[in-house]
Amino acid sequence: MSIFHLKAPGKINLRLKITGQREDGYHLLDMVMVKVDLADEMVCDLTDGDIQIVSNEAVLPVDERNILWKVIDCIRKESEKSFGVTIQLTKRIPIAAGMGGGSSDAAALLLGLNDQLGLGWSHEKLISIGVRIGSDVPFFLVSGAQRVTGVGEILEPVSVSSMPLILMNPGFPLSTPDVYRWYDEWALTAPAPDAKSLPLENDLEKVVLPRIPVLEEIRRKLDRSGALGSLMSGSGPTVFGTYPSTEARDRGYNSLLKEIDPKWWIWSGTTLT
Ligand code: C5P
């Protein structure tokens, strides 16, 4: 028995541009992603037994459908080692919310097991296994902000200074495949792209905001609370606002707390460098 602790941070997308589509339907992306100081935690125990996942989040399946189960399955097959893992997962990152929580948990476990089992897998091997598990997994296998292209497997470090931020969402999940399908339907009749390039941009906003008007309201509230800019992260529905200072963010947070719907989720923090 060998117990180890893992921490898995969330992310936001400062940029998400769709540049094309692969033959298998996956979208080619050009993204800038940064990690944030909100993290899930895992206490893992390497055993001779089976896979057991326990979570504080009742809606999360803890069987083969769980992304951590897929990671273990993949490592067992690839390494031809038989082992069991018991995982106590504390979710803090909202689920299916555009913050990469599941991918981050998967990346942390992949790195943790590579280490604990002494597999010695190369960075390239971990990236190629990671992207099969989830598109955002490679980003979480490395530290720091990254420009991410391909379908999520091509990484290039970028320097982004630490930013105070507030994250909000309406308290319900959004399915990533659904959002990409909405995008494909929209793209069939889309107007020509705007040549103006904004520093914060997310192509998926075009199809998500009209369908989920509460997100426009959340963005407006973030803008009015003193944010420098606001944007939906990933496939949503989490929206973030960036602030010029921690004082401005704290003032914004206090004013937002007085006016938001109690069902909404809100969090105040910073990006990690
Ligand atoms: O890899 P991940 O589990 O995040 O992807 C979920 C779904 O999102 C995919 O099955 C696909 O429908 C869509 N997707 C996509 N192009 C990407 C990433 C995800 O179309 N680059």
Side-chain angles (χ1 to χ4, degrees):
M1 299 244 277
S2 141
I3 293 181
F4 54 103
H5 293 247
L6 301 171
K7 210 168 164 183
K11 59 88 180 163
I12 55 170
N13 295 72
L14 300 182
R15 178 184 160 86
L16 189 163
K17 294 292 290 172
I18 297 175
T19 57
Q21 199 166 14
R22 273 195 335 202
E23 278 186 3
D24 63 2
Y26 266 74
H27 296 77
L28 296 168
L29 304 167
D30 188 347
M31 308 188 281
V32 173
M33 301 212 274
V34 294
K35 296 170 183 83
V36 299
D37 62 344
L38 170 67
D40 293 342
E41 280 181 52
M42 286 172 275
V43 182
C44 308
D45 191 358
L46 207 48
T47 68
D48 302 328
D50 227 323
I51 303 173
Q52 203 192 342
I53 302 169
V54 186
S55 158
N56 62 330
E57 192 54 79
V59 297
L60 205 65
V62 289
D63 55 17
E64 312 80 59
R65 290 168 294 168
N66 191 292
I67 196 163
L68 298 175
W69 195 291
K70 289 180 191 153
V71 171
I72 299 163
D73 229 20
C74 213
I75 296 177
R76 278 174 168 170
K77 287 199 184 98
E78 197 75 32
S79 69
E80 296 178 4
K81 280 184 193 273
S82 70
F83 60 91
V85 193
T86 300
I87 302 170
Q88 215 177 305
L89 169 66
T90 306
K91 285 297 298 177
R92 295 204 183 87
I93 305 166
I95 294 166
M99 292 187 59
S103 293
S104 186
D105 297 348
L109 185 63
L110 187 52
L111 291 173
L113 288 174
N114 184 43
D115 192 38
Q116 293 291 321
L117 294 164
L119 300 174
W121 286 348
S122 67
H123 174 72
E124 290 70 26
K125 179 157 178 152
L126 293 168
I127 298 276
S128 83
I129 291 176
V131 76
R132 294 206 305 263
I133 294 167
S135 309
D136 289 339
V137 174
F139 167 72
F140 289 109
L141 290 170
V142 299
S143 61
Q146 303 284 323
R147 179 174 177 210
V148 183
T149 52
V151 295
E153 78 287 16
I154 305 169
L155 306 170
E156 184 192 327
V158 287
S159 141
V160 179
S161 53
S162 169
M163 283 182 292
L165 83 162
I166 294 177
L167 294 160
M168 287 214 279
N169 68 48
F172 54 77
L174 258 189
S175 142
T176 302
D178 282 356
V179 171
Y180 276 102
R181 212 187 48 248
W182 297 343
Y183 184 85
D184 291 341
E185 286 162 15
W186 170 85
L188 292 175
T189 56
D194 187 349
K196 245 188 352 234
S197 157
L198 296 165
L200 288 177
E201 53 180 345
N202 183 342
D203 278 343
L204 296 174
E205 273 197 343
K206 298 185 189 106
V207 293
V208 174
L209 297 189
R211 274 182 174 80
I212 306 178
V214 66
L215 298 184
E216 291 274 24
E217 192 188 336
I218 291 178
R219 269 194 78 169
R220 260 197 312 277
K221 286 196 190 297
L222 284 167
D223 291 337
R224 288 205 199 114
S225 76
L228 289 172
S230 62
L231 192 74
M232 186 179 84
S233 179
S235 55
T238 302
V239 176
F240 64 89
T242 62
Y243 294 79
S245 64
T246 49
E247 293 75 23
R249 179 204 59 201
D250 294 346
R251 275 197 304 277
Y253 184 69
N254 287 328
S255 71
L256 285 165
L257 282 184
K258 290 184 203 126
E259 53 175 290
I260 63 169
D261 186 311
K263 289 192 291 296
W264 294 2
W265 176 85
I266 181 165
W267 178 82
S268 161
T270 51
T271 59
L272 301 173
T273 51

